[in-house]
Amino acid sequence: MSSGDFCPRCGDPVPEREDPLPGEPRERDAVLCDDCYFEDFDLVDAPDRIEVRVCSQCGAVYEGNRWVDVDAEDYTDVAIEQVTEALGIHLKAEDVRWGVEPEQIDENTIRMHCTFGGIVRDTYREETVTVPVYISRQTCERCGRIAGGYYASIVQVRAEDRTPTAEEEERAVEIAESYIAEREATGDREAFISEITETDDGTDIKISTNQMGGGVAKRIVRELGGNVEEYPTLVTEDGDGNEVYRVTYAVRLPKFTPGDVVNPDDDEGPVLVRSVRGNLKGVRLTSGEPYEAAFEEGETPDARLIGTADEAAETTVVAVEDEYAIQVLDPETYESKTISRPSYVDSDADTVSVLKSRAGLHILPAGDAGSENDE
């Protein structure tokens, strides 16, 4: 049914249309007939070209104003997503349906064929647009910092009155790498280790932020014992005039380690160290009783190192004299020696592992034999 009006462009009669709701302006093109209306009508507003910025090192994609890890083997899905976000659909279109078909031109170019359909003025309209997507290979901020050796903190792994063992240094690095991996898994792109250096005194681990350096240092101490001290150094000021510090976290591992045999200054015999977390704990080699340093002594009681479990050797039991004494052969001279029998030595034992020191022979618990036994 005609509205009685005529199209101002071509002069054809215009069908009657619903009046807008009170307060709503009438659409400017509502006076046009369908043919004239659709002459200038674009169902889809598409960009001429889209650039997807991709880090050539880690594969991250620049989205919005930041780099995002996408874990993608190719970037077709990323291209589809960015093209979809860039396309604009006419506000008057209803019941819109669409599809995108990618065409890989070369390694860095994807042509997106986009088809859209919808109802406008009770008429089904369909439109196809092609948007070229260019993959721009760049270097993200994180990879640029790593390549440039950037770091904000250093974790120095040292030990009191000794050099850290190879096992301690290896474990400290594992703890650092595990901590950083956990942060990376949460999407924290500030998390990385710049460099790991072995020195004559221990291991230095350069880490991306002060907060993460502190976290690594605390985890190392929590597992391996010891303490940590912080030494900040002013390096620059940021754009707002705030002072920027680089912090050295000096981890000092305990003087003794599990497997050490020490002689505390209490005249009750040597102790095999089992733990140095919090305070030193172990077992008396004369009696088999547990030992724990006083709280105020912590992990470094007044004691002298007399050997390690790795230095123990297997020897023959000559006789078990009673509950407190046992005869064994000296592993070096093969002389029979009567020594203290700790509670963990069975009465029918044929052999035991002994550590020889200036204080004599000491029997170690089974399972704490050293490298000579292991061989």
Side-chain angles (χ1 to χ4, degrees):
M1 180 178 176
S2 174
S3 64
D5 294 327
F6 295 90
C7 175
R9 182 176 295 179
C10 68
D12 287 346
V14 177
E16 187 174 356
R17 307 190 189 285
E18 292 184 5
D19 291 331
L21 295 174
E24 288 188 358
R26 178 179 289 275
E27 183 186 355
R28 185 186 62 179
D29 293 335
V31 296
L32 297 177
C33 67
D34 287 348
D35 290 340
C36 293
Y37 180 82
F38 287 124
E39 278 183 10
D40 301 324
F41 180 84
D42 289 319
L43 180 63
V44 181
D45 181 21
D48 295 332
R49 178 178 182 269
I50 286 181
E51 179 181 4
V52 177
R53 296 167 60 185
V54 174
C55 178
S56 58
Q57 303 298 317
C58 67
V61 174
Y62 194 80
E63 295 182 355
N65 59 354
R66 63 192 183 99
W67 289 93
V68 179
D69 292 310
V70 296
D71 192 26
E73 293 184 4
D74 63 61
Y75 297 95
T76 301
D77 290 342
V78 175
I80 291 174
E81 180 182 346
Q82 293 203 12
V83 167
T84 303
E85 291 178 354
L87 295 173
I89 309 301
H90 200 286
L91 295 175
K92 295 299 180 180
E94 300 175 350
D95 193 20
V96 176
R97 300 176 184 180
W98 60 277
V100 178
E101 183 178 343
E103 178 189 359
Q104 190 82 40
I105 304 302
D106 55 39
E107 184 182 359
N108 296 320
T109 307
I110 304 172
R111 188 176 290 151
M112 292 292 178
H113 303 284
C114 312
T115 302
F116 286 80
I119 305 298
V120 181
R121 285 194 171 188
D122 299 323
T123 303
Y124 177 76
R125 304 288 297 182
E126 186 172 280
E127 192 169 323
T128 299
V129 295
T130 299
V131 181
V133 178
Y134 176 69
I135 307 298
S136 176
R137 309 284 175 174
Q138 302 179 6
T139 300
C140 71
E141 216 173 274
R142 179 178 186 269
C143 291
R145 287 185 169 188
I146 294 174
Y150 173 86
Y151 65 96
S153 62
I154 306 176
V155 177
Q156 293 182 335
V157 182
R158 304 291 187 266
E160 183 178 344
D161 296 336
R162 63 182 179 89
T163 301
T165 65
E167 292 76 13
E168 287 175 323
E169 292 188 55
E170 181 179 346
R171 184 58 191 145
V173 171
E174 289 175 352
I175 291 170
E177 291 175 338
S178 174
Y179 179 88
I180 296 300
E182 289 176 13
R183 296 296 295 263
E184 286 180 309
T186 66
D188 189 344
R189 290 187 52 79
E190 294 296 317
F192 59 86
I193 295 174
S194 300
E195 185 180 9
I196 299 174
T197 306
E198 294 183 7
T199 73
D200 292 339
D201 300 321
T203 298
D204 292 346
I205 307 171
K206 294 182 178 180
I207 299 176
S208 53
T209 72
N210 288 327
Q211 185 275 331
M212 292 183 207
V216 167
K218 289 177 183 177
R219 282 201 181 184
I220 292 174
V221 168
R222 190 184 310 152
E223 179 170 331
L224 301 181
N227 58 77
V228 58
E229 295 184 359
E230 301 179 14
Y231 299 96
T233 302
L234 178 64
V235 291
T236 187
E237 290 185 355
D238 62 19
D240 297 326
N242 299 313
E243 296 179 335
V244 177
Y245 288 87
R246 178 173 291 160
V247 180
T248 297
Y249 295 93
V251 173
R252 185 73 61 179
L253 300 180
K255 181 177 181 179
F256 306 118
T257 67
D260 285 347
V261 177
V262 301
N263 197 2
D265 190 18
D266 57 10
D267 298 324
E268 295 186 27
V271 170
L272 173 65
V273 178
R274 298 287 199 188
S275 170
V276 287
R277 298 182 188 179
N279 60 344
L280 188 145
K281 304 175 184 66
V283 57
R284 289 280 185 185
L285 299 185
T286 51
S287 64
E289 295 295 318
Y291 168 86
E292 184 170 346
F295 176 78
E296 60 272 13
E297 292 179 313
E299 64 212 1
T300 312
D302 189 7
R304 178 172 57 87
L305 178 68
I306 62 174
T308 69
D310 288 340
E311 298 169 350
E314 189 174 43
T315 192
T316 301
V317 175
V318 177
V320 177
E321 296 185 354
D322 57 33
E323 184 179 355
Y324 303 104
I326 186 172
Q327 274 190 28
V328 300
L329 291 182
D330 185 309
E332 294 180 359
T333 66
Y334 301 103
E335 295 180 85
S336 178
K337 298 287 183 71
T338 297
I339 60 175
S340 296
R341 176 195 169 194
S343 59
Y344 47 76
V345 176
D346 293 336
S347 59
D348 58 352
D350 295 323
T351 61
V352 290
S353 293
V354 297
L355 174 69
K356 186 174 182 178
S357 73
R358 286 184 295 177
L361 297 177
H362 318 287
I363 301 177
L364 271 62
D368 287 289
S371 57
E372 293 185 30
N373 268 343
D374 295 338
E375 295 174 357

